[in-house]
């Protein structure tokens, strides 16, 4: 398995060696209100990327644009939030957008209490988010069995202005379907809802087996395509894959140029060292790379959800092992935000292990927590991800303070000063109050 992991990470890193010109990437589209069978522009609504903030006010036609940090790759998924009194996002579901090379996505709002928020599609998304919601219910002094899926159901009902009993009935009807499904992922979510957390964690880890095979095949495909293109290049020439972006499309001004590929609007070829390389070859490679990103997200998400299930069951050692296993399938260079998200998971879990440890082990886990959270901040910077950066700083402050309170002498005082500094940094960022 380690050989397979190395190949996958290597292939994901291939595009990073190409000398792309970095420019600002803006996700654009319209925010529209659903009024019966018609849609109207949502003028003056606030739009932002969850955990980033920096709200954008929609124009008269509902148009919006939000800056996508360089660390987020084309093909990855982000979550958008729209703040508009009496309205909520109907599509894309949960505001989740998979970034396309075109960097466009429209958003449809529906009135709160609309029947659309009682649909199976909406509750599918709700159940997919349940492991994360239960993880957030975990407390330092809590114990296994304390998390409550009903709390998440009530929160959903309150957010959308719906009767809690009706929401619960719809969710439980869907859970019964999941229990009978042949889809292992749905079976795992049903187990989560029923608080069979250990079963859910094991199920989720087993769910990765087929995906790992797909991941291996896709990485092999990319390596074969890359070899085909490399054969056309002379040793002293820059990469053809890199020159496709500049030779075929030369903009007058810098434009967003995602590493995973760019659109090719017309067929053609490029002559390199006497060989003809078709644009279709490059487009096929670009598409394969985007598919690999999606598969990598799916695999890592399975490990994360398994970790969340263990975490919600207060089995922190097993949760840590699941997050660390997920880390084997992604590199900081290839997919920075996915790597940093795992570092947050690892840091928070190390902290919870620390408070349940004794003697030297206690300090080792606190220090490991601080290291992981600081590592996450090398990607989730204050400049590009202000809200998430502030949350990480607050968690870092907690770990440092708890370690400092258990450490004697000058070293303890130093840790407490570092904790105060982390808290100060966290307070320096205003939040946009995403629910």
């Amino acid at each position: 398995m380690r050989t397979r992991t190395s190949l996958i990470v290597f292939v994901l890193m291939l595009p990073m060696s190409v000398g792309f010109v970095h420019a600002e990437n803006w996700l654009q589209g319209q925010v529209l209100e659903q009024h019966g069978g018609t849609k109207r522009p949502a003028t003056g609504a606030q739009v932002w990327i969850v955990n980033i903030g920096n709200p954008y006010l929609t124009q008269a036609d509902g148009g919006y644009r939000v800056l996508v940090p360089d660390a987020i790759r084309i093909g990855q998924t982000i979550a958008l939030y729209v703040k508009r009194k009496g309205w909520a996002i109907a599509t894309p579901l949960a505001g989740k957008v998979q970034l396309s090379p075109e960097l466009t996505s429209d958003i449809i709002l529906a009135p709160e209490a609309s029947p659309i928020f009682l649909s199976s599609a909406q509750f599918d998304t709700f159940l997919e988010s349940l492991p994360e919601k239960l993880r957030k219910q975990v407390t330092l002094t809590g114990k296994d069995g304390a998390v409550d899926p009903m709390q998440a159901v009530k929160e959903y009902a309150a957010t959308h202005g719906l009767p809690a009993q009706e929401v619960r009935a719809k969710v439980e009807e869907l859970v019964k379907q999941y229990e009978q499904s042949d889809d292992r992922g749905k079976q795992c979510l049903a187990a989560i809802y029923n608080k069979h957390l250990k079963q859910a964690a094991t199920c989720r880890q087993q769910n990765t087996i087929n995906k790992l095979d797909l991941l291996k095949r896709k990485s092999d495909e990319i390596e074969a395509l890359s070899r085909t293109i490399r054969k056309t290049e002379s040793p002293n020439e820059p990469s053809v894959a890199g020159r496709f972006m500049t030779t075929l499309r030369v903009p007058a001004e810098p434009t967003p140029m995602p590493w995973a590929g760019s659109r090719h609007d017309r067929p053609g070829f490029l002559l390199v060292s006497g060989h003809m390389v078709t644009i279709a070859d490059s487009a096929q490679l670009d598409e394969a790379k985007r598919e690999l990103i999606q598969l990598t997200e799916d695999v890592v998400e399975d490990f994360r959800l398994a970790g969340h299930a263990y975490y919600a069951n207060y089995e922190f050692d097993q949760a840590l092992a699941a997050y660390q296993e997920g880390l084997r399938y992604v590199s900081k260079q290839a997919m920075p935000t996915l790597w940093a998200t795992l570092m947050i998971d690892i840091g928070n879990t190390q902290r919870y292990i620390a408070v349940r440890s004794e003697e030297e082990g206690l300090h080792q886990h606190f220090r490991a927590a601080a290291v992981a959270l600081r590592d996450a901040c090398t990607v989730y910077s204050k400049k590009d991800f202000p809200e998430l950066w502030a949350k990480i700083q607050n968690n870092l402050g907690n770990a440092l303070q708890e370690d400092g309170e258990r450490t004697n002498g000058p070293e303890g005082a130093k840790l407490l000063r570092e904790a105060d500094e982390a808290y100060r940094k966290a307070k320096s960022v205003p939040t946009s109050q995403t629910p």
Side-chain angles (χ1 to χ4, degrees):
M1 184 175 288
R2 293 189 181 278
T3 301
R4 174 185 297 172
T5 301
S6 299
L7 176 60
I8 291 167
V9 171
F10 168 74
V11 171
L12 275 169
M13 291 173 65
L14 284 175
M16 300 305 294
S17 63
V18 177
F20 290 144
V21 177
H22 289 287
E24 289 186 340
N25 289 330
W26 293 87
L27 178 67
Q28 305 179 64
Q30 282 184 295
V31 181
L32 303 169
E33 297 173 350
Q34 182 76 53
H35 292 268
T38 63
K39 298 182 179 68
R40 303 174 190 170
T43 304
Q46 287 185 309
V47 185
W48 63 85
I49 300 175
V50 174
N51 286 324
I52 294 180
N54 299 324
Y56 180 88
L57 205 63
T58 57
Q59 303 301 302
D61 63 351
Y64 78 93
R65 63 198 298 259
V66 290
L67 183 63
V68 180
D70 287 340
I72 300 176
R73 307 302 192 211
I74 296 300
Q76 284 190 256
T77 301
I78 62 170
L80 295 173
Y81 182 75
V82 177
K83 186 176 183 180
R84 189 163 184 81
K85 188 174 181 179
W87 297 82
I89 296 178
T91 58
L93 292 170
K96 291 186 177 181
V97 174
Q98 188 177 77
L99 293 177
S100 67
E102 294 78 15
L103 287 169
T104 59
S105 180
D106 289 341
I107 303 170
I108 309 299
L109 305 180
E112 291 179 0
S114 169
I116 195 170
F117 297 114
L118 289 169
S119 68
S120 293
Q122 293 289 337
F123 288 131
D124 279 334
T125 304
F126 167 78
L127 287 172
E128 288 169 4
S129 70
L130 192 56
E132 174 70 21
K133 293 180 184 298
L134 294 186
R135 186 190 66 82
K136 290 180 178 179
Q137 294 180 16
V138 173
T139 64
L140 280 179
T141 58
K143 58 183 179 179
D144 61 294
V147 296
D148 182 10
M150 289 305 104
Q151 181 179 325
V153 169
K154 292 175 183 176
E155 289 170 355
Y156 179 93
T159 297
H160 295 292
L162 297 165
Q165 288 301 319
E166 186 174 6
V167 170
R168 178 175 179 174
K170 292 282 186 180
V171 170
E172 293 185 350
E173 179 182 351
L174 188 60
V175 167
K176 289 180 181 178
Q177 295 177 24
Y178 278 18
E179 290 172 340
Q180 303 301 318
S181 173
D182 293 330
D183 186 323
R184 186 178 291 275
K186 290 183 177 181
Q187 295 171 11
C188 298
L189 292 175
I192 285 279
Y193 184 83
N194 292 321
K195 294 182 65 172
H196 301 153
L197 300 177
K198 185 174 294 188
Q199 174 189 334
T202 302
C203 172
R204 182 60 69 171
Q205 288 173 308
Q206 293 172 344
N207 194 48
T208 64
I209 295 174
N210 290 337
K211 293 180 182 179
L212 290 175
D213 290 337
L214 290 173
L215 201 62
K216 174 63 166 58
R217 288 200 294 271
K218 185 58 63 175
S219 67
D220 289 344
E221 176 188 342
I222 291 173
E223 179 59 19
L225 286 167
S226 298
R227 281 198 303 269
T228 298
I229 292 178
R230 285 199 298 270
K231 287 178 181 178
T232 68
E233 301 170 1
S234 70
N236 297 322
E237 289 179 331
S239 166
V240 170
R243 280 186 287 161
F244 267 119
M245 299 303 176
T246 55
T247 305
L248 299 177
R249 303 179 65 184
V250 183
E253 297 179 358
T255 56
M257 201 168 295
W259 73 265
S262 181
R263 283 184 300 171
H264 299 288
D265 299 315
R266 57 190 183 277
F269 64 87
L270 180 66
L271 191 65
V272 181
S273 303
H275 298 275
M276 188 169 67
V277 180
T278 66
I279 295 175
D281 291 335
S282 178
Q284 185 179 357
L285 179 60
D286 292 340
E287 180 60 26
K289 289 173 182 175
R290 283 192 290 273
E291 290 172 355
L292 184 61
I293 286 177
Q294 295 164 25
L295 283 168
T296 302
E297 278 195 318
D298 285 346
V299 166
V300 172
E301 187 64 9
D302 270 341
F303 284 115
R304 289 192 70 227
L305 294 180
H308 293 349
Y310 282 127
Y311 194 103
N313 206 40
Y314 287 78
E315 296 179 277
F316 299 111
D317 289 330
Q318 291 91 329
L320 180 61
Y323 298 141
Q324 290 174 331
E325 181 70 10
L327 196 62
R328 292 177 52 204
Y329 293 88
V330 64
S331 74
K332 180 180 180 180
Q333 185 181 16
M335 297 176 71
T337 56
L338 187 56
W339 177 89
T341 297
L342 281 165
M343 297 310 293
I344 295 172
D345 291 335
I346 289 169
N348 292 337
T349 306
Q350 290 279 18
R351 177 189 166 216
Y352 273 60
I353 293 174
V355 298
R356 288 164 169 77
S357 302
E358 298 179 357
E359 303 301 332
E360 188 58 30
L362 176 149
H363 298 293
Q364 289 176 354
H365 287 295
F366 273 130
R367 309 296 159 81
V371 168
L373 294 171
R374 285 184 171 123
D375 282 346
C377 285
T378 63
V379 173
Y380 289 130
S381 65
K382 182 178 182 180
K383 174 181 177 294
D384 291 333
F385 300 86
E387 288 195 2
L388 185 51
W389 177 86
K391 292 176 183 177
I392 299 169
Q393 290 295 329
N394 189 70
N395 289 344
L396 175 60
N398 291 337
L400 291 168
Q401 179 172 312
E402 289 155 2
D403 193 10
E405 290 171 347
R406 293 164 172 81
T407 304
N408 298 323
E411 180 61 24
K414 177 176 177 292
L415 289 167
L416 292 175
R417 288 194 299 271
E418 291 176 356
D420 288 340
E421 176 66 11
Y423 289 139
R424 184 191 65 76
K425 289 179 178 179
K427 293 177 181 178
S428 71
V429 176
T431 66
S432 42
Q433 298 179 342
T434 305

